[in-house]
Amino acid sequence: MATDVKIFLAYHKESPLYKSETFVPIKVGKGELEGCISDATGDNISHLNPYYCELTGQYWVLKNYLNKCSEKYIGFAHYRRLPDLTNISDTDTPAIFGLNYSESLTLFNELNNSDLHEYIKDYDVILPCTCYMYSKTVNPILRTDEQNLNTYEHFKTEHNNNLLDILKKVITQEYSDYTEALNNCYQAEKSHFYNMYIMRTDLMKKYLTFLFDILEKTGKHIGGWEQDKYKRMAGFLSETILNIWINKQKKDLKIGYAPIYMIDFESEYIENANKYHISGEYDKEIVELEQLLKITNNKFAVCNALLQCSIQLNNKDNIQHYTNLAESYAKQDDDYYNLATTLSQTEDIKTSAKLYEQASKLSTDKFYATAYLNYAEKIKDLNIIKNAWEQMHKYELTEAEQYKYLHFQKIYSMINGEI
């Protein structure tokens, strides 16, 4: 349904697309995604995505879309966070919920089949509800017994830098009429998060111009955003800038509050994969796990599960493929140990031993060296046993282990003609 509303959804990796005439997926940062427009075209700051996060997409819209668009409202959301614009409230009440992917499609279809302009037209700005702030978390529901923080304390606690002090200097010098609003926001115990908002198009132009001017000036004060210590920091800082802007303008704005739905793409794939695993339908489990692999951050665990399915199906090509893929995602001792344990069910002795050895080399825990030795003794390969004992000698051996090692040394020397 055509509307006077356009909402851009920020994507940074492959995930199910929410796409319609109203909802436009935009790939932010390096690379492209099929079905998404890219923020790396036209007038852009896409290269700053590690620091600006989803704001590089918003910059693209400001510079390449807003001046020629006909929509009366422009909005921004994320691929994992959708606003329910059919249930806007005049009051800032807790309204952040969770949905699985199937449920989110029901919401998305409802939004697309509604005349959203009719729900929005009485408002200037639509925001998510505010959240209380605590160490390591924010809470939109109620203040808890734990000591809550104000905006200034929360930013300092979470990000351990002086960006709010620099922001205050920039606003005091460049936008002095915002000083009171800044002080109000710094002391506030609740705040808007997520860089999600829908505004009248003329207001969106004003806000984004204000936002990016301040971020540019703040960047000059710190010697540029492109420093490792400022990864994602411009994106976090912009949440505070939004609250300052809203505080300054609020007496002249009609603000509505939309429920926000956090979408869990992974749970259904995991649930279906577990169901097929229990029933022994490993080919169907692989289909679910392959979909999960595209969107999950825990790619090693999913690759290891795919390897287990392939072993059950005795699919040698897949065993090799998923072994290589899992190894490419392995980062720590436990990853290599788990992969070695899975692969030890196959005839690929050399690769299993190599993975056990890698786990023991990375670790300072004797457990992994012992596991390597146990596997080496199980397969009865003297050279691998010898390598395993080398790893064992990083640790103090028990009396029984010393005896066992001396016995092995004797046998090894005899076989190699050393005695």
Side-chain angles (χ1 to χ4, degrees):
M1 177 179 289
T3 73
D4 287 327
V5 182
K6 187 78 73 181
I7 299 173
F8 293 87
L9 301 178
Y11 281 73
H12 68 92
K13 65 178 183 178
E14 184 174 354
S15 291
L17 286 182
Y18 300 98
K19 186 174 184 179
S20 67
E21 189 173 354
T22 300
F23 290 88
V24 180
I26 180 169
K27 171 63 173 64
V28 296
K30 184 179 180 181
E32 296 183 356
L33 284 177
E34 185 177 353
C36 295
I37 61 176
S38 170
D39 74 355
T41 60
D43 186 350
N44 74 86
I45 55 170
S46 184
H47 66 286
L48 291 177
N49 180 260
Y51 314 93
Y52 276 57
C53 304
E54 65 274 356
L55 297 185
T56 57
Q58 298 188 18
Y59 183 92
W60 185 94
V61 171
L62 171 65
K63 296 296 185 178
N64 301 281
Y65 190 83
L66 287 186
N67 287 330
K68 60 184 180 182
C69 72
S70 60
E71 289 86 8
K72 295 179 180 178
Y73 288 89
I74 295 292
F76 296 102
H78 306 128
Y79 74 105
R80 298 190 83 148
R81 300 187 186 106
L82 290 178
D84 182 0
L85 300 178
T86 65
N87 285 290
I88 300 169
S89 171
D90 289 341
T91 57
D92 177 17
T93 54
I96 298 179
F97 310 104
L99 291 179
N100 64 34
Y101 178 52
S102 295
E103 292 168 336
S104 76
L105 291 179
T106 300
L107 170 63
F108 186 65
N109 290 332
E110 180 183 356
L111 293 172
N112 281 315
N113 291 323
S114 301
D115 185 354
L116 297 182
H117 183 261
E118 284 298 308
Y119 292 99
I120 297 175
K121 65 182 182 180
D122 294 329
Y123 299 97
D124 301 305
V125 177
I126 310 296
L127 297 169
C129 69
T130 52
C131 297
Y132 289 103
M133 293 162 281
Y134 302 87
S135 177
K136 306 299 182 186
T137 190
V138 297
N139 183 352
I141 307 302
L142 295 171
R143 179 190 285 178
T144 71
D145 292 335
E146 184 182 354
Q147 178 64 45
N148 66 298
L149 307 172
N150 62 34
T151 298
Y152 184 84
E153 294 166 338
H154 183 257
F155 198 97
K156 284 277 191 180
T157 299
E158 295 302 295
H159 306 305
N160 190 30
N161 61 48
N162 64 340
L163 282 177
L164 287 194
D165 297 320
I166 296 171
L167 176 62
K168 185 171 185 176
K169 179 185 293 186
V170 169
I171 286 183
T172 301
Q173 292 175 351
E174 304 287 341
Y175 293 91
S176 58
D177 54 330
Y178 279 81
T179 302
E180 182 180 355
L182 177 143
N183 290 330
N184 290 340
C185 287
Y186 279 16
Q187 296 303 315
E189 61 179 9
K190 297 180 73 179
S191 188
H192 297 286
F193 289 92
Y194 311 123
N195 284 323
M196 292 177 61
Y197 25 75
I198 296 97
M199 299 183 189
R200 287 195 342 250
T201 301
D202 61 310
L203 285 174
M204 185 64 82
K205 291 178 186 177
K206 292 177 181 177
Y207 169 64
L208 292 181
T209 301
F210 172 81
L211 169 67
F212 289 111
D213 183 57
I214 288 180
L215 289 176
E216 182 181 3
K217 288 180 167 65
T218 303
K220 289 179 180 177
H221 276 271
I222 62 174
W225 286 108
E226 293 171 275
Q227 305 172 59
D228 284 344
K229 64 181 178 179
Y230 292 123
K231 289 285 180 68
R232 304 184 70 195
M233 286 299 106
F236 289 130
L237 188 65
S238 66
E239 293 173 325
T240 300
I241 296 172
L242 171 68
N243 284 273
I244 293 169
W245 189 82
I246 290 293
N247 189 274
K248 175 69 166 60
Q249 314 290 337
K250 65 182 180 181
K251 64 179 181 298
D252 300 318
L253 298 177
K254 174 66 172 174
I255 300 175
Y257 300 90
I260 301 299
Y261 286 90
M262 307 289 199
I263 300 158
D264 180 359
F265 294 123
E266 299 182 16
S267 60
E268 283 183 274
Y269 291 127
I270 294 171
E271 182 179 340
N272 289 337
N274 286 338
K275 177 181 68 176
Y276 290 131
H277 186 82
I278 291 170
S279 63
E281 298 174 272
Y282 301 114
D283 52 344
K284 293 181 179 179
E285 183 183 359
I286 285 177
V287 172
E288 297 296 326
L289 290 173
E290 279 283 7
Q291 293 301 313
L292 178 60
L293 183 62
K294 294 177 181 179
I295 61 174
T296 186
N297 289 324
N298 192 2
K299 293 187 181 296
F300 170 79
V302 178
C303 286
N304 197 30
L306 282 162
L307 174 60
Q308 292 171 6
C309 290
S310 301
I311 291 171
Q312 292 294 331
L313 293 170
N314 196 28
N315 186 323
K316 293 184 179 179
D317 289 340
N318 274 359
I319 289 172
Q320 186 64 57
H321 171 67
Y322 290 125
T323 297
N324 294 339
L325 198 57
E327 191 172 358
S328 72
Y329 289 119
K331 295 179 180 178
Q332 54 191 14
D333 49 20
D334 208 40
D335 293 341
Y336 288 101
Y337 168 76
N338 286 330
L339 182 55
T341 302
T342 299
L343 198 62
S344 66
Q345 303 170 51
T346 72
E347 296 176 356
D348 193 350
I349 292 172
K350 289 185 177 180
T351 304
S352 299
K354 180 191 74 173
L355 294 166
Y356 276 118
E357 183 178 17
Q358 183 67 9
S360 62
K361 284 181 176 179
L362 287 176
S363 182
T364 58
D365 189 331
K366 189 177 179 181
F367 168 83
Y368 297 96
T370 303
Y372 180 28
L373 178 61
N374 289 340
Y375 178 72
E377 291 178 334
K378 178 181 177 182
I379 61 175
K380 298 181 172 64
D381 186 307
L382 290 181
N383 289 322
I384 294 177
I385 295 172
K386 180 176 181 293
N387 291 339
W389 274 116
E390 289 177 3
Q391 294 301 313
M392 286 291 288
H393 274 86
K394 294 194 302 185
Y395 310 97
E396 183 177 350
L397 300 182
T398 65
E399 185 175 337
E401 289 168 342
Q402 285 280 12
Y403 177 80
K404 191 175 178 182
Y405 173 65
L406 292 173
H407 181 66
F408 165 75
Q409 282 279 71
K410 184 176 181 180
I411 294 174
Y412 188 84
S413 298
M414 289 175 62
I415 291 175
N416 286 276
E418 296 176 9
I419 58 173

